[in-house]
Amino acid sequence: MMKNLGEIDPVFANALRRELIEHVNARKRRRWLAPWLASVSAVVIVAGGGVATAAVLGLPGAPTLMPASEKVSVTGTGTATAELGSAPVDANYVTVRFECLTPGDFEISGVRVSCHEADVAQQSVFDIPSNYVREDQLEVLAGPGSSWQLTATYVVKSPTEWGRNIHGETFGVINDAGSPDLIAVEATNGKQGYVRAVDLNQANGDPTALNFTSPDDALRWQQEVAGTIVTLPVVESDGETRIGEFVIQR
Amino acid sequence: MAEWADALNGDAAAFASIFDRHKARVFRHAVYQLGHREDAEDATAAAFLELWRRRKHVTVLDGSVLPWLLVTTTNLSRNVGRSRRRYGDLLKRLPRGRDAPDDTEEIVQSRIDAQRQIRDLVPAFDRLSEQDRSLLVLIVFEDLPIATAALALGMTAPTARSRLHRMRARLRHQLESSSEVR
């Protein structure tokens, strides 16, 4: 292939162009992937979409986590970025412990955390896939007066298998393989149990469960249900024995 | 201007068309700075990635982000290592066309021919401050009007003029003393 003098290599330029489009879209996609996380307030321990909380560790399907870098702690007010340092080669996730110091809406590299008065100083823990972490930075979006604190560590996350009950239903935590039939939650009475994925997806506004076809649908849905409360039954891993309730604030 | 506003709102197509419009000029600018095709490709990529990463802080002049891109390219070209550290994985992933002729010298030569005095300036050029270098590059190499170049660098036109004046004096002095040493 001949090139004209001083012209950028078209193969390189086209690939770069695609990469730039990907960069711009990455922001939108993260928002699109995150809508149902938006409803997860700081005190609820649902795991999903590659996002797991400390409370689910040890449950079927929960990954094992090995720290791969020094912990980085950042405190901020308003929008800011946290520099993580360069990613260790084998690290595939960044574990983030996020704490809102004032009420407000926060978004940490695509994961949204809504804090009400009661959630202040409660910790949200989630893992962000390291390929979502651009340029070794976590971006925290927050209102000008909203304060927060986070610690982040690169980790090596390895998957484990879900359990299977006598009815053939899978149970455990949502992980990169998808969602089990019964999803681990903590009931309002503090007991560890499971909610049905079907129920949870409906209640959380999962795009597929509600047949959303665009981010606009998801946003509209969020506005419609904002402020409503849904109560779901919590069962044991057999899928039958009811042990409590799971409440979702939307 | 509307395109940049659209890009800021997450319109990927708008951002892509900004890339389409300015890529050739940014690349040539990088080749000129670096004298090497592959380094220049990396610097070009880094400049556009920086345009997105630092989008909230980009100066738009006369509706164009080109002056900002050129200044950024100049700075990135000064430290290709830094951009490689930041964007290393991405740069490695981007495919390069095979059989790329090494026309770098021709490119550089053609520009040197057009701006003959630049070759003489280069040894002293490295001793200038980053801002002065950027100013000189934008005005001499990129033919931007002084007022535009000044704005791109966050200074007023009179400041830019007096800087240029001082630079000329200093460069002349440095060139004279370096030829004395020889």
Side-chain angles (χ1 to χ4, degrees):
Chain A
M1 187 200 326
M2 273 306 292
K3 282 180 197 166
N4 292 324
L5 190 66
E7 246 178 44
I8 190 164
D9 167 11
V11 175
F12 180 85
N14 283 336
L16 173 59
R17 190 181 196 276
R18 279 196 298 275
E19 194 67 42
L20 292 169
I21 288 173
E22 178 65 25
H23 262 65
V24 178
N25 280 337
R27 281 191 62 78
K28 280 193 291 186
R29 191 166 327 111
R30 281 182 300 186
R31 287 176 195 287
W32 168 230
L33 278 175
W36 61 279
L37 283 173
S39 59
V40 180
S41 81
V43 286
V44 177
I45 57 142
V46 184
V51 178
T53 71
V56 300
L57 293 178
L59 287 167
T64 56
L65 292 178
M66 288 286 291
S69 71
E70 292 290 310
K71 206 190 289 175
V72 173
S73 295
V74 182
T75 306
T77 301
T79 295
T81 51
E83 298 280 349
L84 301 180
S86 53
V89 187
D90 48 348
N92 51 1
Y93 281 83
V94 174
T95 293
V96 179
R97 289 168 188 277
F98 182 86
E99 214 175 282
C100 46
L101 304 176
T102 57
D105 292 322
F106 303 83
E107 187 178 319
I108 307 96
S109 292
V111 177
R112 292 188 208 167
V113 175
S114 276
C115 284
H116 301 286
E117 220 37 89
D119 304 325
V120 170
Q122 295 260 19
Q123 231 177 36
S124 308
V125 185
F126 42 85
D127 298 329
I128 297 176
S130 47
N131 57 357
Y132 273 43
V133 177
R134 298 275 178 194
E135 295 118 35
D136 299 329
Q137 285 181 335
L138 286 181
E139 190 182 29
V140 179
L141 303 176
S146 301
S147 295
W148 49 269
Q149 189 177 325
L150 71 76
T151 62
T153 321
Y154 278 104
V155 293
V156 181
K157 185 161 150 180
S158 318
T160 64
E161 296 286 309
W162 289 317
R164 195 175 282 276
N165 65 21
I166 52 162
H167 307 293
E169 293 169 314
T170 50
F171 62 89
V173 300
I174 297 173
N175 59 28
D176 296 334
S179 168
D181 300 320
L182 299 164
I183 299 171
V185 293
E186 190 180 286
T188 49
N189 57 16
K191 283 186 186 161
Q192 184 75 56
Y194 298 88
V195 290
R196 295 198 168 275
V198 187
D199 296 346
L200 189 65
N201 290 343
Q202 285 275 352
N204 272 329
D206 179 80
T208 343
L210 296 175
N211 298 318
F212 292 153
T213 54
S214 73
D216 287 343
D217 287 349
L219 287 174
R220 211 172 300 123
W221 179 88
Q222 270 182 26
Q223 279 160 9
E224 275 170 25
V225 303
T228 60
I229 288 175
V230 181
T231 305
L232 305 177
V234 174
V235 294
E236 284 184 358
S237 62
D238 62 7
E240 287 169 355
T241 317
R242 192 165 164 162
I243 54 168
E245 284 181 339
F246 184 68
V247 175
I248 296 175
Q249 287 183 328
R250 303 191 287 195
Chain B
M1 194 63 157
E3 220 160 46
W4 179 239
D6 289 345
L8 283 177
N9 282 328
D11 182 341
F15 195 77
S17 85
I18 289 169
F19 171 71
D20 294 340
R21 180 159 340 118
H22 298 314
K23 67 182 176 198
R25 185 133 184 216
V26 169
F27 176 69
R28 276 197 296 273
H29 184 68
V31 168
Y32 193 83
Q33 300 279 307
L34 291 158
H36 186 273
R37 178 174 272 281
E38 198 165 312
D39 287 348
E41 285 169 357
D42 287 356
T44 304
F48 281 98
L49 289 162
E50 286 288 283
L51 177 65
W52 177 247
R53 188 177 77 91
R54 295 165 61 194
R55 60 194 174 278
K56 288 169 197 153
H57 310 287
V58 168
T59 323
V60 182
L61 291 172
D62 303 328
S64 173
V65 293
L66 180 64
W68 188 94
L69 277 169
L70 295 175
V71 171
T72 303
T73 307
T74 309
N75 295 338
L76 290 169
S77 302
R78 299 287 306 164
N79 192 345
V80 180
R82 195 167 53 193
S83 352
R84 291 223 170 102
R85 275 196 295 284
R86 184 177 281 279
Y87 297 115
D89 291 347
L90 195 159
L91 293 174
K92 263 182 259 161
R93 204 165 66 227
L94 293 176
R96 320 264 168 166
R98 285 185 205 147
D99 315 321
D102 191 7
D103 55 2
T104 306
E105 259 181 56
E106 288 168 78
I107 301 162
V108 174
Q109 196 55 48
S110 71
R111 297 211 56 174
I112 287 178
D113 289 345
Q115 311 266 353
R116 268 192 48 226
Q117 86 242 47
I118 299 304
R119 187 195 270 156
D120 298 332
L121 275 176
V122 171
F125 182 74
D126 279 342
R127 274 175 251 146
L128 294 173
S129 74
E130 190 163 301
Q131 223 181 17
D132 281 353
R133 239 178 358 244
S134 303
L135 185 64
L136 205 63
V137 163
L138 291 182
I139 292 166
V140 181
F141 299 3
E142 290 297 337
D143 297 325
L144 289 187
I146 292 183
T148 311
L151 277 170
L153 294 165
M155 57 177 89
T156 63
T159 307
R161 272 191 210 98
S162 79
R163 269 172 180 271
L164 279 174
H165 179 76
R166 260 179 299 161
M167 246 188 286
R168 243 178 252 132
R170 202 160 58 230
L171 286 173
R172 200 176 302 128
H173 174 72
Q174 284 172 350
L175 287 170
E176 278 161 10
S177 44
S178 66
S179 46
E180 273 163 26
V181 171
R182 259 180 248 141

